């Protein structure tokens, strides 16, 4: 984050606007909307500003900016088209550590102004950190259509019951569950529909019916977070991610996906990286049970799909044995996500009749999977966790009858902007992977379908400076 987002209380505080043109008028208007006491410094004023000055709603200092005008100002906005003046304002304000914004001049700013969606008291502010204001405005336009105009009323309605609800529920989680029920349910609909009296009555009834102190019932959501790109989450995954109290995640969950979990949810990292098992599987199973027994809504977030090489089955077995309610949300597994983003159709009719997913996790350096029935032409083989054992795997597939010329690909961090694809054959891939310094997580695809990559690759991201958050979790 390049800027720290905050909302300032400027009610009745002196704020200075330099410039009297159209832009200055707009900025002064925004400051006034938030209750700031505006002084405008400019030789001449727009007609709107002039009216405001005449009625005493703003103060006008006719003339050129002088550092002495800064006085007690809480913030300063320079909106002149004279770069020298803008520079002077910026320097003078910065010297006094008064936050300063120079319109369309990020270099001279110590704060920038976001695009705003005003549903007061609910306010959404969007910024592109000054990099692309047009993009921020476009996003604002989209959100405007998504957030009902009456959301401000809803926030006000909630505010009027805030204290009463707080008194009723001693435990914070219960209070939150109550509010979620109210704000997502029929009461909210009544407020949005302007049926305030009914809404009040319904809220009070719900409150009375809720014995504020019963232990909340915990549950576990076993959720597949997909292969890394947050666009590939399901709606259900996102919804549960937004309502969980605690998230238990491992290394494969990408930071960009984790970013979408409710901000104030507790985060517990349980690792599980090759050779670095931060927490043993039994302990993870027990942890989930314990958290749910404490009444929490537990999000067990896993990379890909929880039931594909994810040990999700073992986790819910323990939950079932302990009578903990749970639900499972499938995710896009690496095989389908990564192959799509690498332009390798796993079962293209011309090349494959079947496709198998296998793990290449080697015990003691040997292949511990039975490759009979797997090493077949006309079959695509997708190998998870195969990087370390790649040379052995390729050798064994050849030993089991596949031609050494069989096409093979290795894809690192598929679906993310760090995706790297290397193609070769069973004979050449191990060496190519070393040369390309491939790092986990990687997926290996073996079979004639790999030939299609050259023609069908469509996702070819180039590294972007500072684009650090869009990676899959591990790089060690
Ligand atoms: N449950 C997961 C798999 C867990 S096993 C799923 O359904 O995808 C971990 C292995 O998944 C990694 O070693 C790697 O082989 C593969 N994998 C997961 N995400 C990947 C990605 N974005 N790119 C390449 N391989 C990935």
């Amino acid at each position: 984050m390049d800027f720290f987002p905050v909302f300032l209380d400027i009610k009745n505080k002196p704020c200075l606007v330099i410039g009297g043109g159209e832009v200055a008028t707009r900025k002064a208007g925004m400051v006034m909307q938030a209750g700031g006491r505006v002084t405008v410094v400019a030789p001449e004023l727009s007609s709107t500003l002039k009216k405001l000055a005449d009625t005493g709603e703003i103060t006008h200092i006719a003339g050129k900016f002088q550092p002495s005008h800064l006085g007690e100002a809480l913030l300063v906005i320079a909106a002149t088209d004279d770069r020298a003046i803008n520079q002077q304002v910026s320097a003078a304000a910065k010297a006094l550590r008064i936050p300063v914004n120079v319109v369309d001049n990020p270099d001279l700013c110590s704060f920038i102004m976001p695009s705003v969606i005003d549903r007061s008291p609910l306010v959404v502010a969007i910024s592109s950190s000054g990099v692309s204001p047009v993009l921020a405005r476009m996003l604002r336009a989209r959100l405007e259509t998504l957030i009902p105009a009456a959301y401000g009323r809803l926030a006000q309605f909630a505010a009027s019951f805030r204290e009463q609800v707080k008194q009723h529920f001693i435990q914070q989680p219960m209070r939150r569950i109550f509010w979620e029920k109210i704000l997502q349910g029929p009461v909210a609909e009544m407020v949005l529909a302007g049926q305030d009296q009914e809404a009040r009555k319904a809220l009070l009834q719900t409150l009375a019916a809720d014995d504020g102190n019963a232990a909340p019932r915990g549950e576990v959501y076993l959720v597949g977070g997909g292969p890394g790109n947050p666009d590939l989450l399901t709606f259900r995954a996102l919804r549960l991610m937004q309502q969980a109290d605690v998230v238990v995640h491992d290394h494969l969950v990408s930071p960009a996906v984790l970013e979408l979990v409710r901000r104030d949810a507790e985060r517990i990292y349980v690792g599980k990286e090759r050779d670095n098992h931060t927490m043993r599987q039994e302990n993870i199973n027990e942890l989930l049970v314990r958290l749910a027994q404490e009444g929490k809504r537990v999000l067990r977030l896993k990379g890909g799909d929880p039931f594909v090489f994810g040990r999700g089955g073992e986790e819910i077995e323990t939950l079932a044995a302990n009578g903990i309610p749970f639900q499972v949300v499938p995710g896009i597994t690496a095989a389908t996500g990564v192959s799509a983003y690498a332009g390798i159709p796993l079962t293209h009719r011309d090349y494959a009749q079947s496709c198998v997913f296998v793990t290449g996790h080697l015990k003691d350096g040997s292949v511990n999977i039975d490759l009979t029935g797997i090493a077949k032409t006309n079959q695509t083989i997708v190998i998870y966790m195969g990087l370390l054992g790649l040379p052995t795997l390729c050798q064994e597939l050849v030993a089991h009858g596949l031609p050494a010329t069989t096409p093979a690909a290795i894809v690192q961090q598929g679906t993310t902007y760090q995706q790297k694809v290397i193609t070769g054959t069973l004979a050449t891939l191990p060496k190519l992977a070393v040369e390309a310094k491939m790092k986990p997580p990687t997926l290996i695809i073996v079979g004639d379908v790999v030939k299609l990559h050259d023609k069908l690759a469509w996702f070819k991201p180039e590294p972007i400076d500072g684009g650090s958050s869009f990676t899959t979790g591990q790089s060690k």
Side-chain angles (χ1 to χ4, degrees), residues 20-22 24-25 44-51:
E22 218 175 286
T25 308
E44 278 173 47
L45 294 183
S46 68
S47 57
T48 311
L49 287 176
K50 194 158 176 342
K51 266 187 223 146

Side-chain angles (χ1 to χ4, degrees), residues 227 252 303-305 308-310 333-334 338 383-386 411-415 441-443 472:
L252 207 57
D305 182 281
V308 179
F309 303 125
T333 187
V338 171
I383 307 171
Y384 287 69
M385 297 172 274
V411 185
Q412 176 184 315
Q413 286 172 290
T415 78
T442 54
L443 194 77
T472 37

Side-chain angles (χ1 to χ4, degrees), residues 165-166 168-182 206-207 209-218 245 294-297:
V165 172
K166 202 166 158 185
H168 188 86
F169 296 108
I170 299 160
Q171 293 171 299
Q172 207 279 338
M174 298 297 292
R175 207 183 307 151
R176 208 193 44 247
I177 292 165
F178 174 81
W179 276 124
E180 280 170 2
K181 198 159 65 187
I182 293 297
T206 316
L207 192 62
D210 201 329
D211 152 24
N213 303 309
R217 187 164 152 269
D245 300 309
E294 287 169 11
K296 296 191 171 126
R297 288 166 302 176

